[in-house]
Amino acid sequence: MRILVTGGAGYIGSHTVLLLLQAGHQVVVVDNLSNSNPEALRRVAELAGRAATLHEVDILDHAAMDHAFTEAQPDAVIHFAGLKAVGESVREPMRYYRNNVAGTVALLEAMERHQVRTLLFSSSATVYGDPHAVPILEDFPLSATNPYGRSKLMIEEILRDLHRSAPEWSIGILRYFNPVGAHESGRIGEDPNGLPNNLLPYVTQVAVGRLPAVSVYGSDYPTPDGTGVRDYIHVVDLADGHLRALDYLLRGPGLLTCNLGTGKGVSVLEMIHAMERAAGKSIPCRLTERRPGDVALCYADPGRARQLLGWTASRDLDAMCADAWRWQRDNPDGYPSA
Ligand code: NAD
Ligand code: WQD
């Protein structure tokens, strides 16, 4: 198959591109490199023994997208491109709506022009807002608490409208829980710009000595140890979920909405202790105030993905930490700057 991957140089994209290449697909990446480094795709090529083609293009650039589609002639599109920092989205909402929402509309129009009607979209557990119960099922009520989350919700609604009006499309909405870890080679991984927003990259940067201590945001939640509980999923399992979902979509038109999580809740303190075991050192942390907007508990019911896609996450918390640590230890400053 020929697959066009937007945002394929990024964290989840690069791991998915690797698995696509290893499965024998032809891959064309469209990425403006606003939050990634082309070194990721060079290393993916090293690991796969063959390369994806990179177009350094913004998904909002009509002419450049036409050129990429004409060259790629894709059977399907996997759409990772987007901005993802919650705090930044509160400060710069227009940038998020333009890049994520208008960018997706532009991509859908390009797909229509080129008669490509199979799409996998990166949604997020953030669309469940503050869930009334756990584990979370796909038919739970949807809401958003910040512009980033709202951009994902808007895109989901656009995709549902599109499918209603044009049922010949085959669309997969994948709601990721908390992706962590790195490829087991330690060659590719998550390389956040500046101070990490997410827990695991923060913890590994403390472990490697780049940051002094982890702040644990809240220890009075109604959870077993008082700290927030999340469903962390190994990025390679997540990437594998995309290959399974792609197989499913290519069987025929439809609209698939699926959680990608493990179904297991892990607290902030459990995560820090697991990383201490992986790194073989203690990780300084201090209990601080809750972070505004955080929920106490968020984990998936992964039953639909198991049933429809035959997919379950196979890597446990120790593997997530071991792989995240190998990446951080071997690349303490992330990818070398271009
Ligand atoms: P990332 O920032 O590493 O990757 C996104 C990629 O998209 C980057 O390479 C960036 O340069 C590119 N990009 C952004 N805007 C673009 C544009 N207008 N044109 C072309 N390229 C553009 O992020 P990630 O963690 O790999 O996330 C991938 C997708 O998954 C995003 O849509 C994100 O919202 C979603 N998601 C991520 C998480 C998470 O915690 N990492 C959780 C749920 C959903
Ligand atoms: C996890 C837990 C924090 C940092 C975010 C987005 C979500 C999705 C995934 C894209 C929480 C605690 C964190 C720290 C801490 N992204 N924490 N100290 O908030 O579940 O989800 O990323 O779609 O939309 O909101 O992930 O990794 O930021 O936090 O104690 O320095 O760790 O309070 O309980 P979150 P996270």
Side-chain angles (χ1 to χ4, degrees):
M1 291 285 170
R2 289 185 298 269
I3 315 293
L4 188 144
V5 182
T6 75
Y11 171 45
I12 305 168
S14 57
H15 288 82
T16 306
V17 168
L18 173 58
L19 265 55
L20 288 167
L21 290 170
Q22 286 173 332
H25 298 292
Q26 305 296 321
V27 183
V28 170
V29 169
V30 169
D31 198 305
N32 65 4
L33 303 181
S34 60
N35 196 39
S36 51
N37 187 315
E39 176 66 12
L41 288 177
R42 277 195 283 277
R43 293 188 183 187
V44 164
E46 229 174 72
L47 292 166
R50 60 198 197 88
T53 308
L54 170 65
H55 292 257
E56 193 177 332
V57 157
D58 194 299
I59 54 172
L60 281 154
D61 183 337
H62 186 117
M65 287 298 279
D66 275 342
H67 176 73
F69 269 90
T70 302
E71 202 182 284
Q73 297 285 316
D75 300 295
V77 172
I78 306 183
H79 178 33
F80 293 107
L83 299 171
K84 62 165 181 178
V86 171
E88 188 181 69
S89 80
V90 175
R91 293 189 298 276
E92 301 176 66
M94 290 309 125
R95 202 172 136 226
Y96 273 67
Y97 292 129
R98 179 169 173 71
N99 194 79
N100 294 4
V101 182
T104 300
V105 172
L107 171 68
L108 295 170
E109 288 170 344
M111 290 178 67
E112 192 56 63
R113 284 196 300 281
H114 293 268
Q115 297 180 20
V116 183
R117 299 193 181 96
T118 300
L119 172 76
L120 262 187
F121 168 63
S122 303
S123 189
S124 164
T126 191
V127 300
Y128 296 114
D130 192 351
H132 64 278
V134 281
I136 299 172
L137 285 155
E138 285 84 353
D139 60 5
F140 273 23
L142 305 178
S143 68
T145 53
N146 57 69
Y148 166 71
R150 209 160 287 121
S151 77
K152 291 291 174 191
L153 204 48
M154 286 176 182
I155 296 166
E156 284 204 4
E157 297 291 6
I158 290 168
L159 293 175
R160 285 188 275 273
D161 283 343
L162 171 62
H163 191 260
R164 234 171 262 131
S165 72
E168 65 275 20
W169 277 69
S170 188
I171 298 176
I173 294 174
L174 301 180
R175 296 181 181 147
Y176 314 155
F177 279 68
N178 290 59
V180 295
H183 188 258
E184 61 179 11
S185 63
R187 295 291 291 157
I188 57 172
E190 187 171 11
D191 183 17
N193 262 330
L195 211 57
N197 295 306
N198 295 113
L199 177 65
L200 203 72
Y202 205 104
V203 171
T204 57
Q205 289 197 15
V206 171
V208 85
R210 265 173 79 170
L211 293 168
V214 183
S215 299
V216 176
Y217 297 145
S219 49
D220 58 351
Y221 283 109
T223 60
D225 66 16
T227 67
V229 166
R230 296 291 182 275
D231 185 339
Y232 297 95
I233 172 169
H234 195 296
V235 66
V236 176
D237 280 332
L238 187 66
D240 182 50
H242 289 72
L243 273 74
R244 302 296 184 96
L246 199 57
D247 285 345
Y248 181 90
L249 292 190
L250 288 165
R251 279 185 227 147
L255 176 67
L256 165 81
T257 304
C258 226
N259 288 338
L260 292 182
T262 65
K264 293 188 189 73
V266 170
S267 77
V268 175
L269 291 178
E270 282 173 328
M271 179 54 100
I272 293 171
H273 295 321
M275 186 53 77
E276 288 182 323
R277 290 196 296 277
K281 51 174 90 172
S282 74
I283 295 174
C285 61
R286 52 170 179 261
L287 305 181
T288 64
E289 293 297 295
R290 292 183 179 192
R291 183 172 64 178
D294 275 355
V295 302
L297 290 149
C298 178
Y299 55 90
D301 182 322
R304 186 183 284 180
R306 186 175 56 238
Q307 210 180 353
L308 295 183
L309 311 180
W311 173 90
T312 46
S314 63
R315 293 163 180 83
D316 64 10
L317 184 62
D318 286 332
M320 296 178 210
C321 289
D323 292 339
W325 172 242
R326 188 176 304 107
W327 154 254
Q328 185 73 72
R329 185 199 61 197
D330 293 355
N331 306 270
D333 299 313
Y335 293 115
S337 32

